Amino acid sequence: MAGRFAPRNAPRTALPHPASVPAPASASEPASAPAPAPDSASAPGTGALTREWTPTGPLDLRLVIGPLRRGPADPTFRMTRDGTVWRASRTPAGPGTLRLAARGGRIEAAAWGPGAPWLLDRLPTLLGATDDPDAFRPRHRLLALTRHSRPGLRLVRTGLVMESLIPSILEQKVTTDEAYRAWRLLVRGHGAPAPGPADHAPFAALGLHVMPDARTWSLIPSWEWHRAGVDAKRSATILRAVRVARRLEEASAMELPEATARLELIPGIGPWTSAETLQRSNGAADAVTVGDLHLPGIVGHALAGNRDADDEEMLRLLAPYEGQRHRATRLVLLSGRTPPRRAPRRTRGDIARL
């Protein structure tokens, strides 16, 4: 589940609200605002477009952007030791690479490739400018304390459906390790190197890739899916989805019920997959994940001391948070109040050996 991400390789620092500096107009600009022009301070020869944005409140960059990472070796996502985030995306304008860094009370962004203007134009939305954390009213002491300790939590919103839908399909009914491996092999094998500063050795060492476009996904041969450990059911679901990729991308501008219905028209995409996708693409605060193997027990244990809770019980416990149920589950997961393990970790399968 997206909300399980909790960065461990760096201190969790939130950007303080700059009391003495008024927020620029970009903090609330609509997604259709004109693309930013290249910054005159950009490093020569990099071809980068740059932008700075000042959030209107605390913002924990890694906590906000982290749900987009599909495992520590995700070829589309990198976090460096200095807190910089690199992310490669396939936007409607083409491939693009986005670099984000927190500096004092602002976010510094740079982008490369045909999709650079699109990425920078939507930077505030990506980092939760349209999210409303004040709409959440904690009814449990645990959630109140976690919210107080995580003031920089915002719900990410990419505006890109397919880049969250495909890895979510890969995560169906398998361990996260299996799904992360499949995503890594397929993107590296069939995607394209991400655009960036070609003369910048540290960037080259990141090995960033942009995921394949819809046509390339549809042309991946069956043995490549098998080699990546993806069974026929999941690969067939992805193939059905990429055939109507443009219609599915339209869900990023829809309200949650309509967006959910649009995705679930595709056989093989159910409530679990649609919720996991829309949490990221739409910043859907109420897209609660049902059908998860572990989440009901975690929520039940944290809120009612019942580690054997099922989906029905989880939804009952989350009922007071109607409209904010995804945010509630993220806070539960970030609280660290999880039940102790009762059995060994599930063994990773490998159908590629069959």
Side-chain angles (χ1 to χ4, degrees):
M1 177 189 170
R4 285 181 198 166
F5 175 82
R8 300 180 184 274
N9 57 348
R12 299 183 180 98
T13 56
L15 298 180
H17 176 53
S20 60
V21 181
S26 60
S28 59
E29 66 184 18
S32 60
D39 193 308
S40 59
S42 299
T46 65
L49 301 181
T50 63
R51 177 178 184 178
E52 289 186 1
W53 175 61
T54 304
T56 57
L59 189 147
D60 187 324
L61 177 60
R62 290 192 167 206
L63 195 59
V64 173
I65 206 77
L68 302 181
R69 184 180 72 167
R70 305 290 183 156
D74 184 351
T76 70
F77 192 104
R78 292 287 186 268
M79 290 184 178
T80 61
R81 291 183 179 276
D82 65 354
T84 300
V85 175
W86 293 81
R87 181 169 175 265
S89 294
R90 184 169 294 281
T91 77
T97 299
L98 181 66
R99 183 186 68 194
L100 300 171
R103 301 286 186 259
R106 67 187 186 280
I107 297 293
E108 295 180 355
W112 293 262
W118 193 96
L119 290 169
L120 292 181
D121 181 37
R122 288 154 180 79
L123 176 66
T125 301
L126 174 71
L127 298 181
T130 58
D131 183 33
D132 183 15
D134 292 334
F136 182 78
R137 297 287 186 269
R139 306 293 182 88
H140 296 81
R141 185 171 183 271
L142 175 69
L143 299 191
L145 292 174
T146 306
R147 182 191 185 198
H148 180 74
S149 67
R150 302 281 189 156
L153 175 63
R154 297 289 184 276
L155 300 184
V156 68
R157 182 172 187 172
T158 65
L160 299 169
V161 172
M162 296 304 294
E163 73 170 24
S164 292
L165 176 61
I166 291 175
S168 294
I169 294 172
L170 293 175
E171 292 174 6
Q172 294 175 350
K173 307 297 183 181
V174 297
T175 65
T176 53
D177 286 345
E178 291 173 87
Y180 292 160
R181 175 182 178 271
W183 174 248
R184 182 171 67 251
L185 292 177
L186 292 168
V187 172
R188 285 180 177 170
H190 301 278
D199 56 348
H200 188 53
F203 171 77
L206 295 175
L208 279 175
H209 279 66
V210 179
M211 78 168 196
D213 59 16
R215 183 175 184 275
T216 302
W217 282 113
S218 69
L219 295 176
I220 295 176
S222 60
W223 58 87
E224 290 289 344
W225 293 104
H226 185 78
R227 185 178 301 167
V230 182
D231 57 76
K233 182 177 180 180
R234 287 179 291 153
S235 62
T237 300
I238 292 174
L239 294 178
R240 286 190 289 266
V242 298
R243 292 190 189 106
V244 290
R246 290 185 180 180
R247 296 302 305 275
L248 294 181
E249 289 291 357
E250 293 172 359
S252 66
M254 297 178 179
E255 295 298 321
L256 180 58
E258 291 76 19
T260 299
R262 175 66 62 92
L263 266 59
E264 293 181 10
L265 284 173
I266 306 300
I269 297 177
W272 186 93
T273 306
S274 63
E276 288 288 306
T277 300
L278 297 173
Q279 288 164 7
R280 298 167 169 91
S281 64
N282 292 34
D286 199 45
V288 60
T289 303
V290 295
D292 192 84
L293 179 62
H294 304 290
L295 186 62
I298 294 172
V299 173
H301 174 77
L303 301 185
N306 178 15
R307 64 176 298 162
D308 298 314
D310 56 13
D311 278 335
E312 183 178 355
E313 174 67 8
M314 177 181 71
L315 293 175
R316 186 189 69 79
L317 291 170
L318 294 175
Y321 303 107
E322 188 78 29
Q324 295 284 317
R325 291 177 295 177
H326 170 50
R327 194 188 308 275
T329 57
R330 283 215 65 186
L331 290 171
V332 167
L333 294 164
L334 291 170
S335 73
R337 186 75 63 84
T338 57
R341 189 179 296 277
R342 288 193 295 197
R345 187 181 297 273
R346 179 180 169 186
T347 303
R348 181 174 70 85
D350 188 1
I351 70 169
R353 295 182 180 180
L354 300 179

